[in-house]
Amino acid sequence: MDGFGDIKMATSVSIIGITGYTGLELLRLLNAHPDVKIAHITSRRHDGVSIGSVYPHLAHMNHLITNPDLDQIAKDSDVVFLCLPHKTAQDTVAALFGKVKVIDLSADFRLDDVATYEKYYATPHNHPALLTEAVYGAPEIVGAETIANAALVANPGCFALLSQLMLFPFAGSIEQANIMAVTGSSGSGKSASDGTHHPVRNHNMKSYNINKHRHIPEICKSAQITETQLNFVPTSGPFTRGIFATAFITTKDGSDIKCADDIYADHPFIRFQDDVSLANIVGSNFCDLNYKKVSQNSYIVQGALDNLVKGAGGCAVQNMNLMCGYDETAGLLQLSPLYP
């Protein structure tokens, strides 16, 4: 309107699969975003009730959980977030693709190779042609412009993103990388199991899926290594949120290692710390890193992020900001870590 400057309408967003931890965290983040309005939050199980009546910690929100058809969701939305389980998001993404911008928080479109997907997820991929359409949603690695031009973004896995951010400065120069990453119980999702049952988890540490974890292909691709060059030890820790990882890296003789400070200089959610600590990142979209050179070809790298924020919902909002032309930090930089 003349004389009033440019007026930008709020971006209309929907969340399909609101009831898991990632969906709930995403709603918390989007509700605080200055340029977003919520169109739909969906669940088949809780159709027709308010979000606060199901989850009392969100009692201040008046959003109604519904279950409209996908065409209606696409029509009412600028961006649709999918917080569905792995293997079940494929058909939903395919039905929405081309109608609305999609950010998928499942693993169904993170890998661009059908054989690798089927190996790690033990299920056929129903829409292999879409794998090459999806852009991997790690802004610090693939670049903001690539994500800004995407119609479909595949949000990284939480273990994968932290490991990739730790290894990325060594990409193409790694001889061997050994990573131990300890994750909180929220990474296992809401469904109870023997491994996540509090009386056991509360005083325990246990590794699982050693060198078999489904995030390994994501890590290898950005680090430019093969699976034989990576030992990956995911471990359950006795806390709720966050991932703390240590990587022992051996580089090839004569390799030119890129300076992490330079690589991440323009990325506001990467912070370098003398001592990496979960308490310094929980509740925020920050990833804290520390690099130590041990010898000519040997490094120790430590990193930490919140698996539900930077490892899931926060990264998804970061991607949405880029796709919609907002500042990358919108609605996120104000989220200071929960300390203590």
Side-chain angles (χ1 to χ4, degrees):
M1 184 180 296
D2 290 344
F4 291 92
D6 294 332
I7 299 176
K8 186 174 179 63
M9 301 296 291
T11 295
S12 181
V13 305
S14 293
I15 304 171
I16 297 178
I18 191 62
T19 58
Y21 287 146
T22 55
L24 293 170
E25 184 71 350
L26 185 56
L27 179 61
R28 180 180 78 90
L29 300 176
L30 290 171
N31 202 59
H33 196 290
D35 300 302
V36 159
K37 64 177 181 179
I38 307 295
H40 299 284
I41 56 174
T42 81
S43 167
R44 294 178 181 176
R45 180 181 177 187
H46 298 292
D47 186 12
V49 299
S50 69
I51 188 70
S53 67
V54 183
Y55 297 100
H57 73 288
L58 300 178
H60 60 291
M61 296 186 187
N62 58 7
H63 304 302
L64 188 69
I65 302 173
T66 58
N67 189 33
D69 62 50
L70 295 178
D71 285 339
Q72 187 64 50
I73 292 173
K75 180 181 178 181
D76 296 340
S77 309
D78 298 305
V79 179
V80 176
F81 296 89
L82 269 69
C83 298
L84 299 173
H86 309 312
K87 309 176 186 180
T88 64
Q90 297 179 27
D91 293 342
T92 304
V93 168
L96 292 170
F97 183 73
K99 301 174 184 177
V100 64
K101 294 179 180 181
V102 178
I103 300 175
D104 180 23
L105 280 77
S106 85
D108 286 348
F109 292 89
R110 292 173 186 162
L111 307 175
D112 57 9
D113 176 71
V114 175
T116 304
Y117 175 86
E118 294 180 352
K119 172 185 174 182
Y120 277 90
Y121 292 91
T123 189
H125 203 292
N126 298 333
H127 306 279
L130 279 183
L131 292 176
T132 57
E133 298 285 348
V135 169
Y136 191 69
E140 294 85 359
I141 294 172
V142 306
E145 185 176 351
T146 300
I147 293 172
N149 294 322
L152 167 60
V153 167
N155 228 53
C158 51
F159 269 136
L161 183 58
L162 177 56
S163 299
Q164 288 173 96
L165 292 172
M166 293 166 68
L167 298 186
F168 188 54
F170 303 91
S173 302
I174 297 173
E175 184 71 37
Q176 180 69 37
N178 302 315
I179 302 174
M180 180 177 179
V182 187
T183 185
S185 57
S186 60
S188 300
K190 285 179 58 181
S191 299
S193 68
D194 290 343
T196 59
H197 191 47
H198 180 75
V200 175
R201 182 94 180 222
N202 177 58
H203 63 97
N204 193 27
M205 288 184 67
K206 179 183 179 182
S207 297
Y208 60 98
N209 290 338
I210 297 173
N211 285 349
K212 297 179 181 178
H213 197 278
R214 61 196 181 202
H215 291 175
I216 286 174
E218 296 175 63
I219 299 169
C220 289
K221 183 173 182 180
S222 64
Q224 300 176 32
I225 56 177
T226 65
E227 293 179 13
T228 60
Q229 293 174 281
L230 175 68
N231 287 312
F232 185 62
V233 185
T235 301
S236 299
F239 49 89
T240 301
R241 279 182 181 249
I243 302 176
F244 183 92
T246 302
F248 303 89
I249 300 167
T250 304
T251 58
K252 301 173 184 176
D253 289 336
S255 293
D256 181 21
I257 306 302
K258 307 173 188 71
C259 179
D261 290 42
D262 293 338
I263 288 177
Y264 296 130
D266 297 324
H267 295 286
F269 296 111
I270 304 298
R271 307 188 305 186
F272 297 101
Q273 302 278 25
D274 291 337
D275 297 294
V276 173
S277 170
L278 281 178
N280 292 337
I281 54 85
V282 167
S284 77
N285 200 53
F286 294 114
C287 173
D288 283 359
L289 299 172
N290 175 271
Y291 291 82
K292 288 184 173 66
K293 188 170 184 177
V294 180
S295 64
Q296 183 63 34
N297 296 87
S298 181
Y299 298 79
I300 296 176
V301 183
Q302 291 192 303
L305 54 70
D306 187 317
N307 56 295
L308 293 178
V309 189
K310 181 59 174 169
C315 187
V317 173
Q318 199 177 341
N319 287 322
M320 180 205 71
N321 285 336
L322 294 170
M323 295 168 78
C324 295
Y326 298 123
D327 187 283
E328 185 177 352
T329 65
L332 293 171
L333 202 57
Q334 299 82 0
L335 290 175
S336 295
L338 301 174
Y339 189 91

